[in-house]
Amino acid sequence: MSNYQKSEIDESLTAELYSPLPTNRKLFTYGMNAIAFGFTGLALIPLLSILWEIFKRGISGFKPEMFVKSVIDYGFGNAILGTITVVAIASLLSIPVGILTGIFLAEFGQSNFTAHSVRFITTILAGVPSIVVGIFAYGVIVLVTKSFSAIAGGFALAAIMLPVIVLTTEEALKLIPTDQRLASAALGGTRFQTTFRIVVTSALPGITTGILLAVARATGETAPLLFTALFSLDWSAGLLSPTASLPVLIFNLYNDPNPEKNQLVWTTSIILLGLVLCVSVFSRLITSNRKIKNN
Amino acid sequence: MANSSESDNFNSSLQPNYSDEHIELIAKDGMNFWFNQGFTWLVYVFATITVLVLFSMSWVIFDEAKPAIIQFGIGFLWGNDWDTGNQVFGALPYIYGTLVSSAIAILFAVPIGIAVALVTSENFLPQSVQTTLGFIVELIAAIPSVIIGLWSIFIFIPVLEPLQKWLASNFKWIPLLNSQDPVGTNMLTAGIILAIMILPTMAAITRDVFIATPKELRTASMALGSTRWETIFRVLLPAGFSGIVSAAMLALGRALGETMAVTMVIGNSAQISASLLDPAYTIPAVLANEFAEAEPGLHIGALSYLGLILFALTLMVNMGAGLLVQWVSKKNR
């Protein structure tokens, strides 16, 4: 009975409980919503602006013969060839080492001390600034061969690609169910047969994606090439002489007063940006599809 | 009786059967055995190569820096002069520029990165829009640094310059903004460009941290009557704090080593000025500008010494972040 006497207080309390949020909490919600969406919008502006401006400024001066002329003749043929050479050398050096180290991390004692240290060192390696890698390649190749060269550039890029390939290979191999390994072992497969015929074969799309990402990253790298592959205005004389590349072309010529050279910089940027973005969009789409399927 | 005979059978089946000596479960020869053995060796050797890359890197750079280390010792760190002609080298302006530009970048990138991570992990928007947004932000990481530099020189700085001129003329009394007629290539611009470049790192890792936070915590907070933002501030951010800190450290590591875009926008003037609107210089920038033309000997040595300092700085930051990540994942497990 006494409860009913207090009913007035209870009603107001109920009313408060059922009412929409008090003004200050409502304001906080709306304010924070606005800030979060505003910041996200702000984050998107640079990318959209870069894509739009590079395309707009670069497309006007584009001529198909630029692909076969060297920088001296206002083309970027030698830079494309140089980039391909340097990245190919880097891939040759880093892909075998990277895949086998990835196999080591995923297949040989995933949680013992050695694997932990190798994994830790690989993550540290991934964080080393690319210009520092350039100093390393300068010391190992340029000082020994006494010449700036495509090989030195390729060596530097290999050190940058290596941790990317190791870590993505490990991730790809980890996605393969243990049952498949056990099945192979039960049929008498050795570790070599299990790894190569079963695990690596099933993980091949994932490993390829990792390699593509590493190649895309290496293609856009400028800093380690500045004092390893250096640059050349004309076609490179060979693997042991200075070699042009697309990113270094942009860096060397962006301040050039010659309007024709300036145009060349923007057109080269379209090629480089297109190359890098296509590869990384493509490989990311593949991985996101795979993740959804596995869930 | 039945029981004992069963256990006898069981025991005898556990014993290896020596009667037929030709059966070998573990082969010690044959082609497959040697393939297997060789493969194991190969994997170990290549894993060792990966490890050796990091150690030989430190050794080679130390070796190249030796002339300067012998000449200047630890005093190189606070030496203020960089005179190629007189062979006097000091690192302080470069260290200062590297640290301050990265600090500005972190200051901008952390709140924006957290906002992007929240928008792409909370259920503000439909799943497909979230994924697309996250994807677009992560694409920034794929853009070559030199192209971001090109964009900032020709498109971003002309937009930013009037704002900086206005700041410099109206807020002269703040030492941070006290500059005579800023020209656009300065510390603040470099910091903002760096912030754009490290944003994907910050956003992606923070997003993973939020997604990994146990659902129960959020549900409990919601059940007690918190709004979404109260849940975020009182539950999500404190629970993910160490993860967010390690994301910021990884992003800082990126910012410290970023070369091309910074070289193009920071103004490349080796001075220590309190004002953010004055040009500055960073370690990666001076390496990019001078290394290819440097004389062997003390100049290369001094530049390598700078590289060694940068190496040590990023190593400390990245190792700290790596250890923090390992600690966090162990705690969550």
Side-chain angles (χ1 to χ4, degrees), chain A residues 25 33 49 101 135 139 192 276, chain B residues 36 50 64 142 151 225 229-230:
Chain A
R25 291 175 76 189
N33 277 347
S49 168
T101 311
I135 303 182
F192 171 70
V276 170
Chain B
N36 203 30
T50 304
E64 277 178 66
W151 170 78
W229 281 102
E230 283 161 356

Side-chain angles (χ1 to χ4, degrees), chain A residues 42-47 50, chain B residues 104-106 108-109 112 137 139-141 143 148 151-152 156 160 189-202:
Chain A
L42 209 63
L44 297 180
I45 292 174
L47 180 80
I50 288 171
Chain B
I104 300 171
I106 284 293
F108 282 110
I112 298 181
V137 171
L139 267 192
I140 299 177
I143 300 178
I148 293 191
W151 170 78
S152 37
F156 189 57
L160 204 62
T189 312
I192 295 174
I193 295 296
L194 274 177
I196 293 173
M197 300 185 69
I198 62 175
L199 184 70
T201 314
M202 184 70 210

Side-chain angles (χ1 to χ4, degrees), chain A residues 14 26-28 55 74 108 130 138 157 175 183-184 188 203 230 244 253 257:
Chain A
T14 335
K26 219 191 274 180
L27 279 180
F28 181 66
F55 188 75
Y74 304 107
F108 289 74
S130 54
Y138 178 88
L157 292 188
L175 287 177
S184 164
L230 208 69
L253 297 182

Side-chain angles (χ1 to χ4, degrees), chain A residues 48-129:
Chain A
L48 302 177
S49 168
I50 288 171
L51 292 181
W52 170 244
E53 293 283 347
I54 299 276
F55 188 75
K56 194 183 77 184
R57 294 182 186 219
I59 203 76
S60 58
F62 177 75
K63 298 184 206 83
E65 63 262 33
M66 281 177 161
F67 282 103
V68 289
K69 284 182 176 171
S70 64
V71 180
I72 289 192
D73 304 318
Y74 304 107
F76 42 71
N78 66 331
I80 289 185
L81 187 69
T83 294
I84 292 174
T85 319
V86 172
V87 172
I89 294 172
S91 306
L92 277 180
L93 290 174
S94 65
I95 290 175
V97 183
I99 289 183
L100 282 173
T101 311
I103 288 176
F104 171 77
L105 289 181
E107 307 289 319
F108 289 74
Q110 290 164 357
S111 53
N112 65 17
F113 176 74
T114 330
H116 267 303
S117 345
V118 172
R119 194 174 294 123
F120 189 70
I121 284 173
T122 314
T123 15
I124 295 298
L125 194 61
V128 175

Side-chain angles (χ1 to χ4, degrees), chain B residues 29 36 38 46 52 72 83-84 87-88 91 124 133 144 187 195 206 214 236 247 269-270 282 289 295-296 322 329:
Chain B
D29 53 19
N36 203 30
F46 276 69
L52 280 184
F72 303 111
D83 188 341
T84 319
Q87 300 274 297
V88 181
F124 287 108
L133 271 182
M187 186 82 99
T206 312
L236 211 53
S269 145
T282 66
N289 282 335
E295 292 290 317
S329 62

Side-chain angles (χ1 to χ4, degrees), chain B residues 117-154:
Chain B
L118 283 173
V119 168
T120 52
S121 68
E122 290 280 298
N123 52 351
F124 287 108
L125 298 165
Q127 186 70 44
S128 56
V129 181
Q130 274 183 28
T131 331
T132 320
L133 271 182
F135 186 68
I136 294 176
V137 171
E138 274 178 46
L139 267 192
I140 299 177
I143 300 178
S145 169
V146 70
I147 287 186
I148 293 191
L150 187 72
W151 170 78
S152 37
I153 283 275
F154 289 97

